[in-house]
Each structure stands twice: as C-alpha cells, then as structure tokens.
Amino acid sequence: MGRLQKILIPFLGLVLAFWFYSARENFKPEMLKGKRVIVTGASTGIGEQMAYHLARMGSHILITARTEAKLQKVVERCLELGAASARYVSGTMEDMAFAEHVVKEAETLLGGLDMLILNHVGTSYFGYFNGDVGHVRKLLEINFLSYVAMTTSALPMLKESEGSIVVVSSMAGKVGFPFTVPYSATKFALDGFFSSLRQEFSIQSVNVSITLCILGFIDTGKISAVRSSCEEPSVTSAASPALRLPLPPTLRCHLCFSSRPAVARVHAKHPLLSPPPKSGPKTNFSPRATQNQPPPVRCTFHWSKWKCRPPASH
Ligand SMILES: NC(=O)C1=CN([C@@H]2O[C@H](COP(=O)(O)OP(=O)(O)OC[C@H]3O[C@@H](n4cnc5c(N)ncnc54)[C@H](OP(=O)(O)O)[C@@H]3O)[C@@H](O)[C@H]2O)C=CC1
Ligand SMILES: CC(C)CCC[C@@H](C)[C@H]1CC[C@H]2[C@@H]3C(=O)C=C4C[C@@H](O)CC[C@]4(C)[C@H]3CC[C@]12C
C-alpha cells in the first residue's frame, strides 16, 4: 500500500497534469486570417516573433513597445510576411493612460478587436531580492497593472467579437524560484487576476476566452553572451543545467569550479574580471579568479546585461 501510494499517486498526478495542460490539436492558421490583434512588447523577443506568426496568418496587427525604431522595422517585416495590415503605437506601459490609449487606437484604426496579446515585461534584475520596494511597485505597474488596464478597456470590444485574451506568463509565476523575486511576484499576480476573471466570465456566460501561457526558459538571444562566459565549452555542457541560466558571475563561477575544478578556465564577461590573454597559451584561471574562489564582486543580471560592483570596504 505504501509503495502504491508513493508511485501510483504521483504518476496519476503527472498523467492528469499532462492531460490538463496539453492543447487539443484543432488549431488552423485560417482562424487568425483577418482578425484584429494587439501584441504588446512586440519590438523584440517573443512578442516580435508572435507578430510575425500573426502576419503570416494574415491578421490585422497593432503592435506596441517603447522603442519606435524597432517597432517600425517589425511593422515593415509584418507587411512583407503578409499581414492584412500592420501598425504600431510607441509608449511606456508604466503609464496606465498609455495602456488605455493603445486599446483606443485599435478601436479607431481597426474598428474593433478580436485578440489582445499581453506580453510586455519591464526590466528587472536576476539576483537576490535587494529590498527595493520602489522597483517592485514599478514592475507591478508595467507587468501587471497595465495588463489589467488594457483588459478593462478592451473588454467591450472583445465581448462584441467574442474574442480572446492571451497573457504571457512564466513558470516563475507558478512556482517560487530564487533570484526573480519582483518578476515572479508580478507573474503570480497575473495568475490570480486572470484565473479569477476567467471563472467570473464562465459564471456570467461572457464569451471571451482567457489563456495564460506558462513559459519555461526561452533563449531569445539576449543571454547567449552570458552563457558563453564560461570559456571552456566542455565545462558549460558538463556542468549542471543551471549553468545555462543567466546566473550572476559569482554563482556561475562556483558552478564551473565545482563541476570541473581542475580544468575550468573562467572568464566571466564583466568589468571587474581581467580578460584572458589575447594570444599565447591560456592560463587555467583568470588572475582575479584564483584558488577556486569566485571574484570578490557583487553582480545582478538586468535581463540583458550584468551590473557589477565591488563589495563595500569595511
Ligand atoms: N524569455 C524567456 O525565457 C521567458 C519569457 N517569458 C515571458 O515572455 C514575455 C516576453 O519575454 P521576452 O521576449 O523574453 O522579453 P524581451 O525583454 O525580449 O521583450 C520585452 C518587450 O517588452 C517591451 N517593454 C519593456 N519595457 C516596457 C515598458 N516599460 N513599456 C512598454 N513595453 C516595454 C520591450 O520593448 P521596449 O524595450 O522597446 O519597450 C520588448 O518589446 C514576457 O512576458 C516574459 O515574462 C516567460 C518565461 C520565460
Ligand atoms: C520548477 C522550477 C525548477 C522551474 C524553474 C524554471 C526557471 C529556470 C525559469 C522559469 C522562468 C524563467 C525566466 C523568465 O520567466 C523570464 C526571463 C526573462 C528573460 O529576458 C531572461 C530569462 C528569464 C530570467 C527566465 C530565466 C529562467 C526562468 C527563471
């Protein structure tokens, strides 16, 4: 009975989870043809790629983010790929008035809305929680409140078209994971809001679907520079899978050393580490990372780049 409980129950749980989360294969690209779609955070990464997919399927696309130059290029590419129409609105989601303005633009330019894809995400750090409450508040505004504001403004149009809301979230919004405290909090908030709203729609027979996308790590090219900072390729691949994450150099160096102490050549790409010699034989360790110790610096990862500073002198 004990063994049955230990094996059968988790197995049944896994089967149920798989069944619950596996999508039914009834999707057809024609379903998106001519549909009016907003994609937020579409100047780079996953949002940009979603815009291209929608373009190939012939949708009317309205994209948004802060960087106008990038949005212009994405719009051009969408038109090349076959979008029924493609436009952009640039601005920051820190401002709720801007979030609502984007939805109003869809009404004016597209005459309604079939799908709202909420994907943008503000810059945060990858490291221990630093106690900055202001940062948590700002991130909640960008990653959560603007999603709420856009949903609220878009609801009348979505009800009319019996459309859909797609919210891009993360495993970090389902499971507590170290080094992403503010980010994770914003993603948990999305789950609370949209999962509850879905229940209310069901009770009220509101025919607007809500899909929460729970993504694991997706390499959008931003962190490849960080990943390559363990110089020896065999070290990277032999080490724990965690090494493929954007760990702070200190932690990453620990992992490099603990996985292959004798051969690890460490050159973390951050300003306080000396680079290895450009020519000549490579030394086993860079000068600042001797005696299997990580360099004496504190680093946080701001999604795309490291911010490092020496420890405070006592
Ligand atoms: N990549 C990953 O491994 C994972 C990603 N996700 C989720 O997927 C989604 C997309 O992630 P990803 O493509 O990696 O992110 P990126 O950092 O590549 O893109 C973020 C987008 O948001 C925009 N943005 C950032 N700040 C603001 C702001 N203040 N106002 C308006 N727009 C803003 C950026 O454009 P601009 O700077 O021009 O404003 C950009 O278009 C996010 O919701 C993320 O949480 C989930 C799990 C894993
Ligand atoms: C059950 C757990 C062990 C699962 C752990 C999953 C971990 C490894 C996954 C879950 C969510 C992932 C992060 C994420 O959502 C978004 C971003 C932003 C992007 O610009 C850079 C990568 C980053 C930090 C991802 C890093 C890897 C994370 C922490």
Side-chain angles (χ1 to χ4, degrees):
M1 182 62 195
R3 187 171 290 176
L4 197 76
Q5 270 181 344
K6 271 188 198 149
I7 299 170
L8 201 67
I9 292 174
F11 180 73
L12 270 175
L14 277 175
V15 171
L16 278 174
F18 182 76
W19 174 78
F20 186 75
Y21 281 108
S22 47
R24 277 171 214 96
E25 287 292 327
N26 57 2
F27 175 79
K28 292 189 191 76
E30 304 87 69
M31 289 171 175
L32 270 300
K33 196 173 168 71
K35 298 287 182 204
R36 299 153 298 180
V37 189
I38 293 179
V39 188
T40 71
S43 63
T44 53
I46 296 165
E48 178 186 356
Q49 295 306 318
M50 283 195 284
Y52 297 151
H53 277 287
L54 289 161
R56 284 188 201 99
M57 293 186 273
S59 307
H60 293 276
I61 306 163
L62 179 62
I63 60 170
T64 178
R66 290 167 305 176
T67 320
E68 197 170 351
K70 287 186 190 167
L71 289 172
Q72 263 167 1
K73 285 193 180 141
V74 177
V75 160
E76 277 166 27
R77 183 89 187 104
C78 284
L79 291 170
E80 281 166 21
L81 290 170
S85 70
R87 298 177 173 91
Y88 71 84
V89 198
S90 62
T92 176
M93 291 290 175
E94 283 166 62
D95 177 7
M96 296 312 118
F98 173 74
E100 287 159 9
H101 168 71
V102 175
V103 177
K104 295 257 156 53
E105 284 291 287
E107 194 168 14
T108 317
L109 301 168
L110 308 175
L113 188 65
D114 298 291
M115 189 180 270
L116 175 64
I117 304 184
L118 299 166
N119 163 79
H120 62 274
V121 65
T123 308
S124 191
Y125 56 84
F126 193 87
Y128 289 107
F129 177 53
N130 64 11
D132 184 349
V133 180
H135 172 72
V136 178
R137 181 194 292 272
K138 188 177 161 193
L139 210 61
L140 272 168
E141 272 165 6
I142 300 169
N143 295 6
F144 173 64
L145 273 181
S146 67
Y147 280 46
V148 174
M150 288 189 80
T151 299
T152 309
S153 309
L155 255 185
M157 286 193 283
L158 291 172
K159 280 181 182 169
E160 202 183 306
S161 62
E162 303 201 326
S164 335
I165 302 168
V166 177
V167 177
V168 181
S169 189
S170 159
M171 279 172 80
K174 280 279 180 197
V175 186
F177 185 74
F179 313 126
T180 57
V181 170
Y183 171 80
S184 185
T186 66
K187 294 297 190 186
F188 268 81
L190 288 175
D191 201 339
F193 182 85
F194 285 99
S195 299
S196 299
L197 192 66
R198 189 195 291 120
Q199 298 296 332
E200 292 190 0
F201 283 3
S202 161
I203 295 166
Q204 298 168 309
S205 303
V206 172
N207 207 359
V208 174
S209 75
I210 296 181
T211 307
L212 207 62
C213 308
I214 310 298
L215 309 185
F217 173 63
I218 294 175
D219 188 351
T220 56
K222 277 184 157 189
I223 63 155
S224 42
V226 178
R227 276 195 302 157
S228 66
S229 52
C230 269
E231 234 194 318
E232 174 98 51
S234 59
V235 172
T236 311
S237 52
S240 99
L243 249 186
R244 285 159 215 181
L245 297 176
L247 297 173
T250 44
L251 223 84
R252 213 150 20 80
C253 293
H254 266 308
L255 287 172
C256 293
F257 285 124
S258 62
S259 62
R260 288 274 206 95
V263 294
R265 284 200 284 264
V266 177
H267 163 224
K269 281 183 183 168
H270 78 68
L272 296 170
L273 276 179
S274 324
K278 284 207 173 83
S279 56
K282 282 183 175 167
T283 50
N284 261 3
F285 300 107
S286 67
R288 295 289 299 272
T290 49
Q291 296 163 0
N292 290 7
Q293 289 299 316
V297 290
R298 292 195 56 196
C299 298
T300 48
F301 183 68
H302 283 251
W303 293 156
S304 47
K305 54 179 178 289
W306 291 105
K307 288 207 167 155
C308 302
R309 60 190 159 85
S313 51
H314 296 290

